[in-house]
Amino acid sequence: MPTALITGITGQDGSYLAELLLHKGYEVAGLVRRTSTGNTARIDHLLDQVALIPGDVTDPGSLYEAVISTRPDEVYHLAAQSFVGASWSQPVATTAITGTSAAHLLEAVRRHAPGARYYQASSSEMFGVARRSPQDEHTPFHPRSPYGIAKVYAHTMTVHYREAYGLHASCGICFNHESPRRGVEFVTRKISRGVAAISRGRAKELALGNLDARRDWGWAPDYVEAMWRMLQQDAPDDYVLATGHTHSVRDFVGLAFARAGLHWEDCVRVDRRFFRPAEIHELTGDASKARARLGWEPTVGFEELVARMVDADLGVLAGA
């Protein structure tokens, strides 16, 4: 029975990945911060099936101990300070959590589990002001946030360990991927939760930032399936994961409010406080390589994604 170690197991992607790996017969261990032990809502239904290891990705000793104790066949590095907006006010913490943690974990794997296969969660935010569209594995990086910069460091370090030490280390350059498990600080979940609150009479308006920003949004469980497929390949490599279709925040808002029978123009207020110091106006991914080599295809379209998120939050408030 193969063993997988997941950092960030309590997050959106980590929880879906843990479910997937358990279904495939893996033993699953997850690194969790001591302060996160009370925040396991996304994996509460899995607690009797996974081994949780206390630790911190910014502490090299934690990572060494996690690798030594689990001797994993596969390592998935998903932990990050993943909210781009917060990276502007916490650039140093974001660098440590999202960036240099990858170097520590890669070194732990190199020293104590060199035969393990390693996955690095890279991000479309690395492209930033992209020189061409859509973006693929050869598009130059030009990040526009501390988060994007940290992800470039982690991505490049992963490539370095693959080329210098021969580790089976792959990077998934994931474009935006969402679900009802998305954190409430992210704009998609902020919208779906705001729609539910207004629909249930618990709020009157929703304040948002730039409605014209355009992103390539996909369904999170599809993306963790691709992560697993990468580590089943004979040779490690890097893959863009995206739908190839972009939509604006305004598009998301319109569909979300319509799902609840509301007119968004009556409920949404644009607040300049939510604009970023350096905006990325549009990101679109070209996942041709993942389709050809991994046999991967997104299964949930944009309208269905929005509907699922709104329905889930409406259901939460209905039962509250």
Side-chain angles (χ1 to χ4, degrees), residues 5-20:
L5 172 64
I6 304 171
T7 70
I9 193 172
T10 60
Q12 171 189 258
D13 291 2
S15 65
Y16 284 122
L17 179 61
E19 289 176 346
L20 176 71

Side-chain angles (χ1 to χ4, degrees), residues 82-103:
S82 57
F83 183 43
V84 177
S87 75
W88 289 100
S89 60
Q90 304 170 38
V92 176
T94 298
T95 298
I97 298 168
T98 306
T100 56
S101 65

Side-chain angles (χ1 to χ4, degrees), residues 132-136 175 214 216 242 244-246 282-286:
R132 59 174 179 260
S133 186
Q135 295 86 51
D136 62 18
F175 281 64
R214 299 180 63 84
D216 184 328
H245 303 286
T246 59
E282 181 170 345
L283 291 170
T284 311
D286 178 357

Side-chain angles (χ1 to χ4, degrees), residues 109-136:
V109 170
R110 183 180 78 87
R111 289 176 179 270
H112 300 292
R117 298 186 171 194
Y118 179 96
Y119 172 82
Q120 165 62 34
S122 294
S123 169
S124 61
E125 290 287 326
M126 301 188 305
F127 294 122
V129 182
R131 298 182 188 178
R132 59 174 179 260
S133 186
Q135 295 86 51
D136 62 18

Side-chain angles (χ1 to χ4, degrees), residues 188-200:
T188 51
R189 185 73 195 289
K190 183 178 180 181
I191 293 167
S192 65
R193 193 174 69 156
V195 167
I198 293 170
S199 177
R200 302 301 186 198

